Amino acid sequence: MKHFFIPILLYLSVYSTVYAQKEKLNIIVFIADDVSWDDIGCYGNTQVKTPNIDKLAKEGLKFDNFYLTASSCSPSRNSIITGRCPHNTGAAELHTSPPLDMVSFPEVLRNNNYYSVLAGKFHMGPYARRGFDVMYEGHKDNGDGGEESWVSSLKKRPKNKPFFMWFASYDAHREWGPNEFSGTHQPSQLQPPFYLSNGDETKADLAKYYDEIKRFDYYIGEVVHELKTQKELDNTLIIIMSDNGRPFPHSKTRVNDRGMKTPFVMHWPNGIINKDVSSESLISAVDIAPTLLTLAGIESPDQFQGHSFAPLLIDPEQHFRNYLFAEHNWHDYEAHERMVRNKNYMYILNSRPMQPQNGPADAVGSPSFKELEILKDQGKLSAIQADVFMVPRPYEELYDYSRDPLQLLNVASLPEYAETLKSMRETLNQWMNETGDNIPENLTKDWYLKEAGLIKTEFHNIRGEMPGESLNATKNNAKGVF
């Protein structure tokens, strides 16, 4: 009986925190473009300079196992704001849009008297525009990094309404040029991740990437300063996250931690009880929408497939999800992968094992990729560096977090893991069946040549069948395995 009452008391505590305030909760989501979870200082990266994010994490709550549903921009963002799996949004592939009847959580907030603003990158489709009173789109309004309308939009807001701000930078998406923080990170002082080359071109590439993260961090600091000036900081929930992994080989479009894991920091002086702490709980991006509505005291629509993790603001050590799920569908190249992760294991199903995983076209055209190609030609690649060129790939992959937290050793073929492999396979199949996912024969093919950057193929601009399309997945609201 005691265990029954604990979650109820936690929910009541969260609700009372919200309703005890004189005004409704304000919400700001900062979402970076193509930034990996471990490229922020508070997540252990000692090379990148992110003092403002690090300070908010120290004063708030940091999540160490927060996963996206797609390591690809528009599928990931649509999944976040609809609280739905990519194949259930009808926009599982890059540059596709959900149907107009899809509901987003900004729209629900706006329909409940919130003043709602988008400033920066959009990339989500016509349905999502209903969620915003004002939209600052394009570089003219937002500047090179996408952040220059953030503070001004706060200043222009009506003062008689709670506000929701979707502050979406272009940082740190390729191509990157000079900015006011260029040179903050010196290539000679950087050590690239072990799966990249340690060459000069890769270091220079990484330095420019870090410089854009620095710009993202700077403007977060400017927004925090404005919130203090308006005396709104204490009553504003700030979230800092990314839409997918860094635009380098081995990261963006991958379904492992390097692609799917996002930094996730929550700062809310009036609402987060335990500060300067981390939560190890497994949480999915589809859980963001119902959580924000819970904290705002608003009922979630049936379309949301996620679950509210609001109780973790009170008790970060509380168990939440048993399973996380993610997808890799077309992003420049033909693909169909599905991933399930529990506390101890990650299982990956790859229905296109003859496709190498070079990364998206912008990563393939990068200096970092070219240095890996040089090492390949010289026969000097390490086993993990060579992974991006490997064909065929395993149809199934299984990783044991207790032995291999970086997902380097595929143990799917080892006899001692046979039962675990079977269990994870069955869990993924159950989730796919319940949520209306499938593996179409006529998937969208490669729009660009492999290992060649942006050289178009004969299939360019031709779409195949979307996963879940034949099963009417956009009308399927099943939450699936939890």
Side-chain angles (χ1 to χ4, degrees), residues 108 311 358 462:
V108 178
N358 305 138
I462 299 174

Side-chain angles (χ1 to χ4, degrees), residues 19 24 108-109 112 114 290 292-300:
Y19 291 127
K24 270 203 165 187
V108 178
L109 289 171
N112 282 270
Y114 270 77
L292 293 183
L293 293 191
T294 294
L295 295 175
I298 301 170
E299 185 176 353
S300 292

Side-chain angles (χ1 to χ4, degrees), residues 248-269:
F248 285 75
H250 292 280
S251 298
K252 187 176 177 181
T253 70
R254 299 301 290 266
V255 295
N256 57 20
D257 285 6
R258 289 179 283 284
M260 293 293 177
K261 204 171 182 181
T262 178
F264 200 87
V265 171
M266 296 182 79
H267 180 276
W268 178 24

Side-chain angles (χ1 to χ4, degrees), residues 32-41 45 47-54 145 147 150 169-173 176 179 181 184-185 206-220 240 242 245-248 263:
D33 199 2
D34 294 6
V35 173
S36 285
W37 72 277
D38 53 353
D39 286 332
I40 304 293
N45 190 315
Q47 300 181 118
V48 70
K49 295 176 174 60
T50 54
N52 293 298
I53 298 173
D54 299 345
E147 303 103 344
W150 290 0
S169 71
Y170 306 124
D171 289 334
H173 195 289
W176 32 67
N179 70 68
F181 300 101
T184 299
H185 302 86
L206 195 63
K208 293 175 183 177
Y209 165 67
Y210 283 165
D211 287 347
E212 291 211 349
I213 294 176
K214 169 63 178 175
R215 178 166 58 183
F216 175 67
D217 178 83
Y218 169 80
Y219 278 99
I220 289 174
I240 300 163
S242 178
R246 69 177 74 85
F248 285 75

Side-chain angles (χ1 to χ4, degrees), residues 165-226:
M165 306 284 177
W166 178 267
F167 287 159
S169 71
Y170 306 124
D171 289 334
H173 195 289
R174 295 180 187 272
E175 294 289 324
W176 32 67
N179 70 68
E180 60 267 43
F181 300 101
S182 292
T184 299
H185 302 86
Q186 294 299 313
S188 61
Q189 298 174 4
L190 299 181
Q191 178 65 44
F194 61 91
Y195 39 84
L196 297 177
S197 164
N198 196 38
D200 291 342
E201 291 299 314
T202 298
K203 290 179 179 180
D205 205 17
L206 195 63
K208 293 175 183 177
Y209 165 67
Y210 283 165
D211 287 347
E212 291 211 349
I213 294 176
K214 169 63 178 175
R215 178 166 58 183
F216 175 67
D217 178 83
Y218 169 80
Y219 278 99
I220 289 174
E222 293 297 286
V223 169
V224 170
H225 177 76
E226 180 61 26

